[in-house]
């Protein structure tokens, strides 16, 4: 269809976080919980909810032009797809997730080599097989349909499972003994869409705005006025994203300074700015930061 892209939104654990990210980027997606085709306030985009595990396959087959999914599932699929951009966000946090090798507490297993001849349960079967093959360790890798944490020690000797914080593994008395791979969300596209000038431009525009919304998280803008004679002291205090913007004021002995910094640093920076001679200090929130 001309002048329209078909975009896959990950259904499941990433769904709410993805819809919230699109909202911060400027698009409203409306999913009513029953339809797999949520509406979006952009006539050039058609959305479909697809499980992250299947996204790469449907993008590769051309049913979707692009989609958001974890790079882990792209690697697992073995398909050759174009990554437009990485987007570091997950269900609970703004950091990468890890696929980890975990064993029951007190099992005596301390490293991958200790699992020779054992059973490992996981959803990430192909990646797990390659991990053990690279180490020369013979294991039986079994596909897990879910609730993987409860399988050791009765149904499996170890698991390879995804985690953000490790709390679920600890709750099930499992110990992490290695990281198999790290993963984050990627906006992927097939070769047809990547090579179509209009679709490529549209997908890259979406990527730019999603990236900008992510980069704005945890950062704030700061404006202040300072006498020119104190400017150098102010610049030494500011941990700027880039060089601060310095603007002339009507009074030539004063300047305005505008910058971006981590929100967590504001409580320490503002008192120091005040002590260095800053006045009229204003902190403001950011929706997007385009770098």
């Amino acid at each position: 269809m001309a002048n329209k892209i078909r975009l896959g939104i990950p259904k499941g654990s990433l769904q709410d976080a993805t819809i919230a990210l699109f909202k911060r980027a400027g698009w409203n997606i409306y999913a009513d919980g029953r339809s797999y085709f949520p509406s979006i306030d952009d006539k050039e985009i058609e959305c479909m909810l697809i499980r992250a595990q299947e996204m790469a396959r449907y993008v590769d087959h051309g049913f979707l032009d692009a989609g958001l999914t974890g790079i882990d599932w792209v690697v697992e699929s073995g398909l050759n797809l174009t990554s437009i951009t990485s987007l570091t966000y997950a269900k609970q946090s703004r950091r990468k997730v890890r696929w980890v090798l975990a064993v029951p507490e007190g099992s005596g297993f301390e490293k991958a080599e200790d699992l020779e001849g054992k059973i490992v349960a996981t959803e990430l079967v192909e990646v797990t097989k390659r991990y053990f093959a690279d180490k020369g360790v013979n294991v039986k890798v079994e596909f897990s349909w879910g609730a993987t944490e409860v399988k050791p020690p009765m149904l499996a000797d170890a698991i390879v499972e995804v985690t953000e914080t490790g709390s679920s593994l600890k709750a099930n008395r499992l110990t992490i003994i290695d990281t198999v791979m790290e993963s984050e969300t990627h906006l992927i596209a097939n070769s047809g869409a990547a090579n179509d000038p209009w679709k490529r431009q549209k997908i890259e525009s979406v990527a730019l705005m999603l990236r900008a919304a992510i980069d704005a998280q945890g950062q704030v803008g700061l404006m202040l006025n300072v006498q020119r004679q104190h400017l150098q002291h102010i610049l030494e205090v500011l941990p700027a994203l880039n060089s601060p913007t310095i603007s002339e004021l009507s009074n030539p002995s004063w300047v305005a300074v505008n910058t971006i910094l981590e929100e967590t640093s504001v409580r320490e920076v503002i008192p120091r700015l005040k002590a260095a001679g800053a006045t009229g200090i204003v902190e403001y929130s950011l929706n997007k930061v385009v770098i």
Side-chain angles (χ1 to χ4, degrees):
M1 184 180 296
N3 295 336
K4 185 181 285 286
I5 60 168
R6 289 169 296 188
L7 179 66
I9 304 297
K11 181 174 177 59
S13 62
L14 274 180
Q15 180 177 327
D16 290 344
T18 300
I19 291 174
L21 175 60
F22 268 85
K23 185 175 181 62
R24 293 195 303 273
W27 286 274
N28 291 302
I29 297 176
Y30 306 96
D32 65 8
R34 294 181 295 274
S35 173
Y36 280 79
F37 296 91
S39 60
I40 182 171
D41 57 351
D42 187 330
K43 63 183 180 182
E44 296 177 341
I45 301 176
E46 179 181 296
C47 293
M48 184 176 184
L49 292 173
I50 295 287
R51 282 172 56 85
Q53 294 91 326
E54 301 177 291
M55 190 71 73
R57 174 156 48 99
Y58 289 119
V59 172
D60 180 70
H61 291 178
F63 183 75
L64 298 168
D65 295 304
L68 291 100
T69 187
I71 195 63
D72 45 0
W73 298 117
V74 179
V75 173
E76 174 75 1
S77 74
L79 297 170
N80 185 22
L81 294 160
T82 300
S83 174
I84 303 298
T85 188
S86 61
L87 301 162
T88 307
Y89 74 98
K91 180 181 178 182
Q92 300 175 359
S93 64
R94 291 185 292 111
R95 60 188 177 191
K96 292 182 180 181
V97 298
R98 294 187 299 150
W99 283 90
V100 298
L101 176 60
V103 298
E105 293 177 359
S107 64
F109 301 129
E110 296 181 352
K111 56 186 183 299
E113 289 77 7
D114 296 338
L115 292 166
E116 177 72 30
K118 303 300 183 181
I119 296 174
V120 180
T122 185
E123 289 185 74
L124 204 70
V125 173
E126 297 305 318
V127 170
T128 300
K129 286 180 178 178
R130 290 195 290 271
Y131 165 82
F132 280 102
D134 288 345
K135 291 181 174 292
V137 180
N138 242 344
V139 298
K140 182 180 181 182
V141 179
E142 292 186 344
F143 178 73
S144 173
W145 291 93
T148 308
E149 298 100 323
V150 304
K151 295 188 174 177
M154 294 182 62
L155 304 177
D157 299 290
I159 65 171
V160 171
E161 179 66 327
V162 67
T163 183
E164 286 185 53
T165 65
S167 58
S168 180
L169 296 171
K170 290 178 183 177
N172 285 281
R173 305 185 70 180
L174 296 171
T175 300
I176 296 171
I177 60 173
D178 199 8
T179 296
V180 174
M181 77 172 294
E182 288 187 329
S183 181
E184 60 187 340
T185 305
H186 280 231
L187 176 59
I188 58 172
N190 57 44
S191 58
N195 293 325
D196 179 285
W198 184 89
K199 288 185 177 181
R200 178 77 187 218
Q201 183 179 32
K202 181 66 176 181
I203 294 169
E204 287 184 343
S205 294
V206 172
L208 175 68
M209 299 307 289
L210 293 176
R211 180 79 260 163
I214 284 180
D215 288 340
Q217 290 183 278
Q219 299 190 85
V220 296
L222 207 64
M223 296 187 300
L224 58 93
N225 295 332
V226 63
Q227 285 185 308
R228 194 180 295 274
Q229 62 182 346
H230 299 310
L231 178 58
Q232 187 56 42
H233 295 261
I234 294 297
L235 296 180
E236 290 171 358
V237 171
L238 288 174
L241 177 66
N242 289 305
S243 297
T245 300
I246 312 297
S247 304
E248 299 287 340
L249 295 178
S250 57
N251 185 336
S253 64
W254 286 76
V255 295
V257 179
N258 200 332
T259 192
I260 295 171
L261 66 161
E262 293 291 331
E263 186 174 16
T264 53
S265 69
V266 170
R267 64 190 182 194
E268 296 177 359
V269 169
I270 287 181
R272 292 173 62 197
L273 290 172
K274 183 67 175 174
T279 63
I281 302 171
V282 177
E283 176 190 343
Y284 55 94
S285 61
L286 302 172
N287 291 324
K288 303 170 190 69
V289 174
V290 180
I291 300 175

